[in-house]
Amino acid sequence: MLVVVRMLGAIRVVCYLRAAFEATMTYQHIITLEPGKRGGKPCIRGLRITVEDVLGWLAAGMTVQDIIADYPDLTEEDVRAALAFAADRERRVHFSVAPHEVAV
């Protein structure tokens, strides 16, 4: 629940909303890592569908509904978990690069 106080700036509200989303979207029960499956890449619920596959489909312009229609074993929660996993990995990579280093 979001309670907006007049004195809160837009940035604080956005940070609050972002923190609330991140706290509610967990992917650990959905994203699996198995060494013998798809080269150990992160997969959706033990299926042979990787996070990379889902991100590629979204980047190619498919909607969540398109993906679910083409891959009925997937759910909207699975797609969101793939995005949350990728965002979390990006945050970890971003913070692991020292200020004088350049990420390529």
Side-chain angles (χ1 to χ4, degrees):
M1 182 172 165
L2 174 64
V3 178
V4 179
V5 178
R6 281 187 174 174
M7 299 197 64
L8 282 179
I11 293 173
R12 287 187 182 166
V13 172
V14 169
C15 289
Y16 176 83
L17 290 172
R18 184 171 141 196
F21 170 76
E22 289 171 355
T24 58
M25 182 66 236
T26 58
Y27 57 81
Q28 289 80 2
H29 65 287
I30 295 174
I31 305 301
T32 58
L33 295 165
E34 299 176 45
K37 189 176 286 182
R38 295 292 304 264
K41 292 181 180 180
C43 293
I44 310 294
R45 290 184 292 108
L47 301 170
R48 298 188 63 76
I49 299 171
T50 65
V51 168
E52 180 182 354
D53 293 333
V54 174
L55 295 176
W57 298 327
L58 290 168
M62 291 180 75
T63 66
V64 174
Q65 292 75 23
D66 293 337
I67 295 170
I68 293 169
D70 286 354
Y71 300 91
D73 288 336
L74 294 180
T75 66
E76 183 175 339
E77 184 182 19
D78 294 335
V79 175
R80 291 189 188 284
L83 288 169
F85 177 87
D88 189 43
R89 181 173 272 186
E90 176 63 20
R91 271 190 295 281
R92 283 185 274 131
V93 167
H94 176 71
F95 289 120
S96 70
V97 175
H100 64 279
E101 295 177 353
V102 178
V104 180

